[in-house]
Amino acid sequence: MADQSEKPEVFELNNGSMHVKISNFGATILSLSLPDKQGNLADVVLGFDSIEPYVNGAAPFFGCIVGRVANRIKEGKFTLDGTEYTLPINKPPNSLHGGFKGYDKVIWKVAEQKNGENPSITFKYHSDDGEEGYPGDVSVTATYTLTSKTTLRLDMEAVPENKPTPISLAQHTYWNLAGHNSGNVLEHSIQIWGQHITPVDENTVPTGEIKPVKGTPFDFTSEKKIGASIHEVGLGYDHNYVLDCGEEKSGLKHAVKLKEPSSSRVLNLWTNAPGMQFYTGNYVNGVVGKEGAVYGKHAGVCLETQGFPNAINQSNFPSVVVRPGKTYKHSMLYEFSVE
């Protein structure tokens, strides 16, 4: 548990061309400012001007790291090594993003800060045995680094200390490459290096099937506008893609390319996670954010690399169980450019 004397603070990473504000509350990206093709800076993440609304629960997971297990666990139940665990049902009828007080709603300790050309900040959190119903103590670290002029890297690690436990962390930033206050993201084009999705039931839990996207509105294997077929998928996209066809570099595979036509800003995301939740902000509804901007439906897009949702209950999904002596590792590389 966080020591009560620690309070939410804001830290900055700045390398001269990219400027990121991050809080120890939820290891949350509050803002990320980047140049467009003319050199004009814009903040491309949804959020609030101060830390208070995050602490007061006004954010629909803006910018934070979620855990111990990202996404949904069916009916908040799982069995591990013969023991049944029951989790809080914070998104009925399921448990979502770690429960009522997941890693997004706690204060992380600042373990290290580095300045200079590649500034970084490392946060640590100790998750207790039984916290939100999960087994065993887990030590979690998250390091944000500006690895080049326009690249942000996030390295997450988690070590179970005394019991096996499911672990699957995700970074839940909502992106709008035109600027956080520029309306919806339906004109952004996107390419996802995933030839399959894990289809879901009426409660947004995967059925266990792994389904090809070819010939469906879910096919983003070549670049297309987010809005092109969105009307065919109900409220919008909120689906886990199987990252099965991206080229690799430095141990990470290409997950997604997001491009915004008016600013020419591009985000290429690389990861070592097996899946990615592609979520088009379907439930964002009149949230008053930075500079008084009103965020409506589809105001941002989340690209949450992750273990597959409900993997703890689906034996055909890659396992998210981590045992003592092993380390969970999840890295994400956000490469920004203009083209």
Side-chain angles (χ1 to χ4, degrees), residues 43 46 176 178-183 290-291 293 295:
D43 178 0
L46 273 54
N176 186 325
H180 74 94
N181 54 353
S182 58
K290 289 179 254 196
E291 301 161 342
Y295 303 137

Side-chain angles (χ1 to χ4, degrees), residues 34-35 150 257 263-268 335-339:
L34 278 176
T150 52
K257 176 185 180 183
S263 65
S264 299
R265 287 191 189 91
V266 174
L267 164 57
N268 279 286
E335 286 187 325
F336 298 96
S337 58
V338 289
E339 65 174 48

Side-chain angles (χ1 to χ4, degrees), residues 16-36:
S17 53
M18 198 166 133
H19 189 193
V20 188
K21 290 186 179 172
I22 305 172
S23 178
N24 58 339
F25 183 79
T28 300
I29 297 175
L30 307 175
S31 69
L32 190 153
S33 298
L34 278 176
D36 66 6

Side-chain angles (χ1 to χ4, degrees), residues 163-181:
K163 290 180 189 172
T165 178
I167 301 175
S168 176
L169 308 181
Q171 216 301 337
H172 207 299
T173 293
Y174 289 71
W175 302 97
N176 186 325
L177 296 182
H180 74 94
N181 54 353

